[in-house]
Amino acid sequence: MRRYRPSHLFLVQFEAIRKMMGNDQRAHLLPLGIEQLPELQAFDTVFSMGVLYHRRSPLDHLIQLKNQLVPGGELILETLVIEGDENAVLVPHDRYAQMRNVYFFPSARALKVWLEKVGLKMIRIVDENVTTIGEQRTTEWMTHNSLPEYLDQNDPSKTVEGYPAPRRAILVADNPSN
């Protein structure tokens, strides 16, 4: 299994953002995947943005994220979801919106249950909406195919594979204080 590691491109992007923020030396990028990190319990806030559906074991990933938080810290999780109740989970057979390396798309309510199962508290679904072609599209900087090419041309509420079109949710959860 291929292990993910941040690329040189990510480092350059990080340094550009840091420079825009006044070259804040409190922010750092470690060239490691979360699997290589020990349980640091060192961060007030941990962000996971668009990663969860790429993980073969989403609960293990949530545990890894929780283990990076100080007691009382917060997780901010953004991911693709489907509509449905706390038991709804889509497991694509092969691809989803032409992405190959995707495994699980829970509903936002199911994801809330998953966060509870790993021991996080005060879980809030702070946003949930359909991804639009106005926000994910081809531009002069991003010239390869994008969302419009990955939706069914006859029914844009579905992907080209027939799955529900992408929705995003943002959840915030607290790591309980000891």
Side-chain angles (χ1 to χ4, degrees):
M1 178 170 93
R2 182 177 171 264
R3 289 286 182 197
Y4 173 79
R5 289 180 188 250
S7 70
H8 294 288
L9 173 63
F10 293 170
L11 178 59
V12 170
Q13 291 169 334
F14 170 79
E15 291 299 336
I17 295 295
R18 184 159 67 169
K19 184 166 181 69
M20 290 172 49
M21 295 174 53
N23 218 12
D24 189 336
Q25 294 301 309
R26 295 174 299 165
H28 302 280
L29 176 77
L30 300 174
L32 303 169
I34 194 167
E35 302 86 7
Q36 287 84 41
L37 289 177
E39 294 180 15
L40 295 175
Q41 298 179 350
F43 300 101
D44 295 323
T45 305
V46 169
F47 292 86
S48 178
M49 312 295 283
V51 174
L52 188 68
Y53 51 93
H54 293 294
R55 299 300 175 163
R56 291 176 195 247
S57 178
L59 290 178
D60 286 341
H61 181 66
L62 295 175
I63 291 167
Q64 290 167 332
L65 295 169
K66 179 183 182 295
N67 288 339
Q68 301 311 316
L69 290 168
V70 298
E74 73 178 352
L75 170 65
I76 300 174
L77 177 65
E78 183 272 338
T79 190
L80 292 179
V81 296
I82 60 168
E83 288 188 278
D85 67 13
E86 62 276 354
N87 296 307
V89 179
L90 170 66
V91 182
H93 181 262
D94 184 28
R95 294 181 182 202
Y96 174 86
Q98 293 298 303
M99 292 184 286
R100 294 177 198 257
N101 60 336
V102 294
Y103 301 97
F104 299 94
F105 296 94
S107 68
R109 289 170 53 198
L111 184 51
K112 186 175 179 187
V113 171
W114 292 2
L115 291 166
E116 290 168 353
K117 282 191 175 289
V118 301
L120 294 165
K121 305 288 184 205
M122 300 294 296
I123 301 154
R124 288 97 60 206
I125 301 169
V126 298
D127 187 55
E128 182 177 357
N129 59 63
V130 174
T131 305
T132 69
I133 59 173
E135 62 188 300
Q136 188 174 340
R137 66 196 181 289
T138 302
T139 69
E140 63 185 73
W141 292 2
M142 201 282 302
T143 59
H144 55 278
N145 287 346
S146 191
L147 185 59
E149 290 78 28
Y150 304 142
L151 296 177
D152 183 322
Q153 298 303 307
N154 297 317
D155 182 358
S157 72
K158 297 193 180 308
T159 66
V160 292
E161 299 87 2
Y163 297 119
R167 308 178 60 76
R168 281 195 310 257
I170 299 172
L171 287 83
V172 178
D174 296 340
N175 193 24
S177 300
N178 293 336

